[in-house]
């Protein structure tokens, strides 16, 4: 089965993947990264070797995890030289597994559906792994890796995986940025950010318990022009924040008032 | 001190305020609401009387809580007939307390900075109350009410309160709507929404522990045109969701790359 692994990449995903693989008794033979600093740090963390040269990537591993950005995953996979029996995997949400099809018959996707930040703990066993494979033996091997990491794996095809990635961008990245804008408004007005905490906690609790649709409150649902006008004035008519304010308010109003409009 | 209270309004804020006042041994004399159905329900809940006529609002209370939308708070406060010694309060984030200045010398703001949804539990004692008052005796009375509800009260002037309200719209309403869009993408693609839960939980945990700025991940920080282009295609170039996608991505990129641009 799979035992020896090379990880390509040294960013947030690579970092947490390497940590999880290491404690699950896989051997990380080598870290490849074009970033010497983060690559060497990650290699040190898992007591493996480091290279930034494609030609020096070891041929001795059972599986190769491509955990870089999409462009790098495509470029490096087209240049790597390994034998046909190896398993090639990438960890990306919106990239086809066919980037590997000219290299080997054994390839697939190992997409951990989570937000990863170095130095912020993540219980990898709680991360759903979205998997896809070129053939049945590869699928078995991918499932084996997930099981060793104590992760739940979900078979999901490329089209659905792309939708999932997109949903994650809204639900995590954009959700988080809206909180950032709120925090930033308070900071610029010299109001303590800790005032937001009870609101955030209750909002999160509601969303997790009844879903986002039934949790919504605020002036946009009823298109309260008096409040919305005051808020746009505070943000400045031409600011990026007021553009965001207007388009999300419009979207919220449409979500809850579609029956009236039809 | 304050004992007998009239609450004007029967929406989400009025509902939770009335519940909190009732269990804190205040007497709700009357609920005024232009909505007979929700008004009568709320009056029943706190065993008080109900009216939808401004002229029938009792003159016997010590304090009157205006917990309607801003337009209604302004209109009804201008029409109410009560003696000058009464305390008039509103619960709004973006409304001046001066709507009461022609009615009495004793007035102020009691703004609970929280998202309220009927039928979803809220521990009112954890809600920060933003307060403002026309004079010292009124301030004392408002603080007394907050103390009886076991709430922390924060004196904050109108300008800062408006900023706080605006920050709350981003951090709660807009944050929640981004999650809704994510949930909706999954629903339309027939992907189980439960897949989002680990991502949401980790995102919330990160935001609460290190703040939103240091929690951000995803394609927008590095302006990954390859992924962003695919996502815009999936959303449809002309959709409201793709407009939201583009403007928030732009805002995220600016937040993390301002040093490079300057």
């Amino acid at each position: 089965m799979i035992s020896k692994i090379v990880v390509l990449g040294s960013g947030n995903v690579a970092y947490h993947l390497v940590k999880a693989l290491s404690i699950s008794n896989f051997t990380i033979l080598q870290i490849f990264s074009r970033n010497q600093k983060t690559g060497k740090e990650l290699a040190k963390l898992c007591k493996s070797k480091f290279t930034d040269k494609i030609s020096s990537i070891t041929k001795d591993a059972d599986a190769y995890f491509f955990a870089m950005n999409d462009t790098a995953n495509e470029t490096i996979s087209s240049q790597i030289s390994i034998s046909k029996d190896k398993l090639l995997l990438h960890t990306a949400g919106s990239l086809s597994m066919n980037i590997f099809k000219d290299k080997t018959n054994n390839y697939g996707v190992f997409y951990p559906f989570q937000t990863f930040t170095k130095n912020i703990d993540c219980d990898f066993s709680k991360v759903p792994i979205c998997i896809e494979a070129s053939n049945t033996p590869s699928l078995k091997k991918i499932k084996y890796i997930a099981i060793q990491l104590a992760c739940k794996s979900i078979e999901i095809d490329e089209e659905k995986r792309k939708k999932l990635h997109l949903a994650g961008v809204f639900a995590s990245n954009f959700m988080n940025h809206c909180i950032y804008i709120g925090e930033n408004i308070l900071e610029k007005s010299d109001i303590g950010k800790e005032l937001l905490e009870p609101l955030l906690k209750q909002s999160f609790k509601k969303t997790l318990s009844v879903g986002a649709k039934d949790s919504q409150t605020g002036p946009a649902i009823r298109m309260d022009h008096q409040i919305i006008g005051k808020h746009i004035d505070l943000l400045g008519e031409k600011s990026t924040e007021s553009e965001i304010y207007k388009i999300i308010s419009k979207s919220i109003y449409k979500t809850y008032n579609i029956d009236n409009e039809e």
Side-chain angles (χ1 to χ4, degrees), chain A residues 47-113:
Chain A
K47 294 175 184 131
S48 76
K49 294 188 172 149
F50 166 77
T51 184
D52 59 356
K53 290 186 191 63
I54 300 173
S55 58
S56 301
I57 294 172
T58 177
K59 298 179 198 324
D60 297 338
D62 304 312
Y64 295 76
F65 275 88
F66 287 70
M68 301 169 286
N69 68 45
D70 288 3
T71 311
N73 283 340
E74 286 190 86
T75 308
I76 308 296
S77 67
S78 73
Q79 294 171 0
I80 198 172
S81 169
I82 44 117
S83 62
K84 289 266 182 190
D85 59 320
K86 306 300 185 181
L87 179 65
L88 299 191
L89 301 173
H90 75 63
T91 60
S94 294
L95 189 64
S96 168
M97 66 176 175
N98 291 326
I99 61 165
F100 299 125
K101 75 175 181 340
D102 295 334
K103 290 287 163 185
T104 162
N105 296 320
N106 308 302
Y107 55 90
V109 176
F110 189 96
Y111 172 46
F113 188 54

Side-chain angles (χ1 to χ4, degrees), chain A residues 173-191:
Chain A
N173 305 158
F174 292 178
M175 171 287 275
N176 184 71
H177 192 62
C178 290
I179 297 174
Y180 165 72
I181 295 175
E183 290 179 349
N184 197 37
I185 290 168
L186 295 190
E187 200 172 312
K188 286 195 285 187
S189 313
D190 217 16
I191 303 170

Side-chain angles (χ1 to χ4, degrees), chain A residues 3 43 105 112 127 130 133 137 143 178 211 228 233 237-238 243 253:
Chain A
S3 162
N105 296 320
V127 179
C130 302
K143 283 185 177 171
C178 290
I228 290 170
D233 284 347
E237 177 70 41
K238 299 282 180 202
E243 282 187 72
Y253 183 78

Side-chain angles (χ1 to χ4, degrees), chain A residues 217-224 228 245 248-250 252-253 257:
Chain A
T217 60
I221 294 185
R222 54 181 194 273
M223 199 50 87
D224 186 325
I228 290 170
Y245 191 101
I248 299 190
S249 291
K250 182 178 145 189
I252 291 175
Y253 183 78
N257 297 277

